[in-house]
Amino acid sequence: MIRVQIVKKEGQYQRFSIDGHAGYAEMGEDIVCAAVSALVINTINSIEKYTDDAFTCDCQDGIVKNWEFTSEVSRESALLMDSLLLGLQNIQKSYGEQYLQIT
């Protein structure tokens, strides 16, 4: 199961972390893992390209583990994070909590 934790403080996004493997299919063929990865990478790339918000990213072997804002979060970044959360919730709804857990 993929575990995603998204942390907000006083209504503002602070950070998110990702751990695990969905187990929907074998590694390299798992569409749940691929969908989650695509959403996360696109969100990070979009925040980097379309905002001036600062952040740090802990990646291991090309996989995002922990990601955190290090500056005030702009409206644009908040919208992109809302979009990430919506996408993750839709994956969870489509495939089940046994493959993706969001807290």
Side-chain angles (χ1 to χ4, degrees):
M1 166 192 331
I2 299 172
R3 289 171 295 285
V4 177
Q5 181 184 39
I6 297 176
V7 177
K8 290 176 97 174
K9 184 177 179 182
E10 298 176 8
Q12 294 291 316
Y13 287 101
Q14 300 292 306
R15 59 186 156 82
F16 66 86
S17 61
I18 303 169
D19 186 41
H21 174 69
Y24 185 80
E26 291 183 33
M27 284 191 166
E29 297 180 12
D30 194 317
I31 60 174
V32 175
C33 284
V36 170
S37 294
L39 284 173
V40 168
I41 296 301
N42 189 64
T43 299
I44 292 170
N45 288 343
S46 295
I47 289 171
E48 185 173 37
K49 181 170 177 87
Y50 298 118
T51 77
D52 293 325
D53 297 2
F55 60 86
T56 61
C57 184
D58 174 21
C59 297
Q60 297 172 1
D61 299 323
I63 299 170
V64 176
K65 294 291 185 182
N66 296 294
W67 190 91
E68 184 171 358
F69 284 104
T70 58
S71 67
E72 190 169 322
V73 179
S74 67
R75 289 176 44 210
E76 294 82 5
S77 285
L79 179 60
L80 290 166
M81 290 295 295
D82 286 343
S83 180
L84 170 63
L85 182 55
L86 176 65
L88 292 171
Q89 289 169 334
N90 285 332
I91 292 168
Q92 184 183 54
K93 183 177 178 181
S94 294
Y95 292 94
E97 291 183 13
Q98 69 270 29
Y99 301 112
L100 175 59
Q101 180 183 31
I102 305 164
T103 57

